[in-house]
Amino acid sequence: MRLLHTSDWHLGQTLHNYERGYEHQHFLDWLLATLVAERIDVLLVAGDVFDNANPSAASQKQLYMFLRQARARLPALQMIVIAGNHDSAGRLEAPAPLLADYGTHMLGHIVRDEAGQIDLERLLLPLTGPNGQVEAWCLAVPFLRPGDVPKLPAGSTQDAYLGGIALLYRQLADLALARRQPGQAIIAMGHCHMVGGEMSNDSERRIVIGGTEMLPSGIFDPAIAYAALGHLHLAQAVGGQQHIRYCGSPIPLSFAEVHYQHQVLCLDIDGEQLREVCAIAIPRAVPLLRVPDKPAPVVEVLAQLAALDLPDAPQEAQPFLEVRVRLDAPEPGLRTRIEAALDGKPVRLAKIETSSAARSTQIESMTLDQLAQLQPDEIFRRLYQQKFGKEAPPEQLSALAELLLPGA
């Protein structure tokens, strides 16, 4: 049996106000061809299908067109899609009754009966192989909010949220072990942050405020052949365990991810065991450029920008550019100078990142009452000193004073 693990599509995402539908469509077209070429039996999508809870009509159309085309090309393909923390559980699951007839299972939220017990049956899905027989069972667990998890027994000293997630996986694993026949594997899915998982600096949203959201790998029963995870955008094995994996996002979702190796994971299951995991690199439709690699003075940066030699490309395929400048003092005309250096070049200026050459001076913390007693010019002086390590120039203090004049 062969499965393909992907996650964190973030359909509808923008990069500094630039739409990314072209890149997402390029990925979906590639994914469709890969499913066919690799003869995949089951597609696992581990959450964050959309970038926000109210996705655009265009991004929803992209998803449903892909599901339709995948089913048409591979009539026996099963697709399991769980919600992530960016998704609206209800919106993602709304078309589930229609999609189920086409081999697609959409799991957005936890359902309870009148007694408040979680419906475990709907989270445990049989997976069929090429012969149409059940070859594995999938614990399809969507992103869990604190109110979704089962309550711990009275007197438990575990964290209610983390312990509740572990309990839910325990209950599902027990159900799968009771249900499976000899030779059938158990696969787990989840959208969560595991202990030791490496985050992206800019594009990953904290799952739970308070810092208690990281889960130990021990929540997965030893009988589980593979855990397909979503949320972290860097492809990685959890704690060096090759059967507990994040496949990562299919495109770089911020400039912090410019050097990520984006991929999907192809899994071969043999009986109850994972035989092999193979990473398949995803071609990047639009490059992300950082110029320079490390922040540099304005003159040096402008020279590098002027020397950029890029091939012609239609606008939707032009590289995104982050310009990194080290400043000794404020540079009011910086954007204009950068845009002039890029004039006529097939590139899209997405971000200008500035940093100070001087080490920031730490300012003694102040109470709100102390801060209220300071005049605006004194606040400006202190902030300038903190950022640039020297006194604010007289001409800028004069400009500030002019702005503060009544009626200005």
Side-chain angles (χ1 to χ4, degrees), residues 229-247:
L229 303 178
H231 179 58
L232 300 185
H233 298 167
L234 175 65
Q236 56 194 289
V238 175
Q241 301 178 79
Q242 297 304 310
H243 73 295
I244 305 177
R245 302 280 287 263
Y246 289 97
C247 59

Side-chain angles (χ1 to χ4, degrees), residues 179-208:
R179 187 70 51 81
R180 77 169 178 179
Q181 299 297 314
Q184 295 176 348
I186 299 177
I187 306 297
M189 294 181 71
H191 192 89
C192 51
H193 188 175
M194 305 298 295
V195 172
E198 184 178 342
M199 292 188 68
S200 159
N201 291 332
D202 299 331
S203 55
E204 287 161 358
R205 184 185 301 167
R206 287 283 296 276
I207 286 184
V208 176

Side-chain angles (χ1 to χ4, degrees), residues 8-295:
D8 294 274
W9 295 358
H10 288 270
L11 300 179
Q13 194 239 14
T14 59
L15 183 68
H16 301 285
N17 297 318
Y18 285 105
E19 298 289 339
R20 310 194 74 186
Y22 171 81
E23 293 164 272
H24 279 124
Q25 192 57 54
H26 191 275
F27 161 67
L28 292 174
D29 292 342
W30 173 88
L31 179 60
L32 180 61
T34 301
L35 292 171
V36 174
E38 297 295 330
R39 300 189 298 278
I40 300 299
D41 301 306
V42 181
L43 173 65
L44 306 175
V45 185
D48 280 355
V49 179
F50 297 113
D51 190 58
N52 60 67
N54 188 27
S56 66
S59 58
Q60 292 181 75
K61 183 178 179 180
Q62 276 190 317
L63 171 65
Y64 299 127
M65 284 294 293
F66 167 79
L67 296 177
R68 175 178 175 273
Q69 291 170 345
R71 184 67 175 183
R73 296 286 299 276
L74 294 165
L77 178 69
Q78 286 181 277
M79 293 175 278
I80 316 295
V81 183
I82 61 172
N85 58 302
H86 279 252
D87 298 310
S88 163
R91 185 183 294 274
L92 189 70
E93 198 169 300
L98 295 174
L99 294 172
D101 291 337
Y102 297 92
T104 299
H105 299 273
M106 310 284 278
L107 280 301
H109 59 271
I110 300 299
V111 173
R112 284 181 162 84
D113 61 21
E114 293 182 357
Q117 298 299 309
I118 293 175
D119 183 355
L120 299 175
E121 295 284 350
R122 72 189 297 269
L123 302 178
L124 181 62
L125 303 174
L127 304 180
T128 56
N131 59 4
Q133 300 299 311
V134 174
E135 295 194 17
W137 293 85
C138 180
L139 318 183
V141 180
F143 168 65
L144 298 169
R145 293 171 173 81
D148 294 328
V149 302
K151 292 183 178 180
L152 299 178
S156 173
T157 59
Q158 286 184 287
D159 177 86
Y161 179 58
L162 300 185
I165 294 176
L167 177 57
L168 179 58
Y169 275 105
R170 175 72 266 159
Q171 293 171 341
L172 283 169
D174 288 344
L175 182 60
L177 287 166
R179 187 70 51 81
R180 77 169 178 179
Q181 299 297 314
Q184 295 176 348
I186 299 177
I187 306 297
M189 294 181 71
H191 192 89
C192 51
H193 188 175
M194 305 298 295
V195 172
E198 184 178 342
M199 292 188 68
S200 159
N201 291 332
D202 299 331
S203 55
E204 287 161 358
R205 184 185 301 167
R206 287 283 296 276
I207 286 184
V208 176
I209 302 302
T212 62
E213 70 269 26
M214 289 188 283
L215 299 164
S217 59
I219 66 171
F220 299 117
D221 188 278
I224 291 174
Y226 183 83
L229 303 178
H231 179 58
L232 300 185
H233 298 167
L234 175 65
Q236 56 194 289
V238 175
Q241 301 178 79
Q242 297 304 310
H243 73 295
I244 305 177
R245 302 280 287 263
Y246 289 97
C247 59
S249 58
I251 66 172
L253 297 167
S254 74
F255 282 96
E257 301 176 17
V258 66
H259 296 303
Y260 283 11
Q261 297 298 312
H262 298 277
Q263 60 188 37
V264 296
L265 296 171
C266 184
L267 325 171
D268 283 315
I269 303 293
D270 187 1
E272 299 177 9
Q273 304 299 319
L274 174 67
R275 188 174 72 219
E276 184 179 13
V277 180
C278 177
I280 305 175
I282 302 170
R284 188 171 291 186
V286 175
L288 266 66
L289 305 178
R290 276 179 153 173
V291 177
D293 289 335
K294 295 182 179 179

